[in-house]
Amino acid sequence: ELSQSLRVLMRIARARKEQRRQSDALELDSQEVAFRFDGDGSKASKAEDGVMQLPTGMRRLSDGEPSETHSLIEELMVLANVSVAEEIVRTFPSKSLLRHHPRPNLEDFDDIRAALERRTLPFDARGNAALSRTLRATRGPEEESFGSVVRALCTRRMKMAQYFRTGSMAPKMWMHSGLGEPLYTHFTSPIRRYCDQVVHRQLAHAIGWRALPAEGWYTDNLDDLAESLNERHKMAQEAERKSEALYLT
């Protein structure tokens, strides 16, 4: 019964991924890194004096194609976030906390295009599907890290996804172009993102589970919150990149 349920979920995830691909979703397959520690390798390992060990370096995780199980979880999380976004927008058409991602500007990739053309590699960023094809073409066994470098550079040339209040911009601007979704929010990780906690509260109100206190949801409050969340996210990304530069270069 469990295996049958997983097969059904897998079919749903495959269909969803293809649907997003048809909607011009961007496929970056970015590489992740992890800290390396002394001792037994555990993040929680401690020295004899009881002081938690500091990381001694970082390691790159697998740069291959993500497993289908990983893709299954990813697609269902995107589906959950999209479904919640649709629900809260119906209840809060001008006060929902969503996340949008503008399309990149072609001129932002001029230096990358010139560098690839010197290696006789074509570069096309006239749409997310075209950019995804370009990035897949940079992978090769002769230079395994080359594709990772190109993807990292392209990621940093793109505009950042941002939180916003639905009433603060026209609906045509709400789309998350990277995912190919007209409505998107963050709902699935309330233990590590404050946006998700806010969206949980909005959803609870929308489905009649728990009402929101009216004084906490004025327009200015949500606009200030979105601005703060965007700034904190930018700071976190910068800290992540500096950690990689410290341990990997």
Side-chain angles (χ1 to χ4, degrees), residues 16-155:
R16 281 281 306 167
K17 188 169 186 176
E18 180 58 30
Q19 183 182 43
R20 291 199 303 109
R21 185 179 290 118
Q22 294 297 325
S23 299
D24 206 23
L26 180 62
E27 299 175 64
L28 280 176
D29 295 336
S30 57
Q31 190 181 57
E32 296 183 359
V33 296
F35 281 107
R36 182 185 297 112
F37 292 79
D38 282 338
D40 61 6
S42 169
K43 292 182 181 179
S45 60
K46 298 183 179 181
E48 292 182 1
D49 58 3
V51 177
M52 184 173 290
Q53 293 181 349
L54 295 175
T56 59
M58 297 183 82
R59 61 187 177 87
R60 295 191 182 279
L61 302 181
S62 173
D63 193 32
E65 291 288 339
S67 69
E68 195 162 20
T69 302
H70 182 278
S71 181
L72 165 67
I73 296 170
E74 181 181 72
E75 289 300 327
L76 295 182
M77 290 179 71
V78 170
L79 177 58
N81 288 332
V82 168
S83 300
V84 170
E86 293 170 348
E87 184 65 34
I88 62 176
V89 165
R90 281 192 286 268
T91 303
F92 302 103
S94 65
K95 294 187 178 181
S96 290
L97 187 59
L98 301 187
R99 188 165 175 82
H100 79 118
H101 187 204
R103 293 186 180 277
N105 296 321
L106 289 177
E107 55 269 22
D108 293 338
F109 300 100
D110 285 346
D111 54 344
I112 299 176
R113 179 186 294 105
L116 290 180
E117 287 176 350
R118 285 196 294 270
R119 299 176 65 116
T120 67
L121 290 171
F123 186 89
D124 186 357
R126 289 174 293 180
N128 287 341
L131 181 56
S132 296
R133 288 193 297 271
T134 295
L135 296 179
R136 285 195 295 271
T138 63
R139 297 172 180 167
E142 63 281 355
E143 289 187 83
E144 295 182 2
S145 63
F146 181 70
S148 299
V149 171
V150 174
R151 289 197 299 278
L153 290 174
C154 286
T155 299

Side-chain angles (χ1 to χ4, degrees), residues 87 91-92 187 196-213:
E87 184 65 34
T91 303
F92 302 103
F187 166 79
D196 301 54
Q197 295 188 25
V198 174
V199 171
H200 271 248
R201 294 167 191 162
Q202 291 190 326
L203 178 63
H205 183 101
I207 64 177
W209 183 57
R210 179 178 296 175
L212 287 172

Side-chain angles (χ1 to χ4, degrees), residues 188-228:
T188 53
S189 299
I191 63 172
R192 67 182 181 90
R193 288 188 304 231
Y194 186 67
C195 169
D196 301 54
Q197 295 188 25
V198 174
V199 171
H200 271 248
R201 294 167 191 162
Q202 291 190 326
L203 178 63
H205 183 101
I207 64 177
W209 183 57
R210 179 178 296 175
L212 287 172
E215 66 274 10
W217 300 97
Y218 294 141
T219 296
D220 290 344
N221 290 359
L222 286 173
D223 289 339
D224 290 345
L225 175 61
E227 183 179 355
S228 177

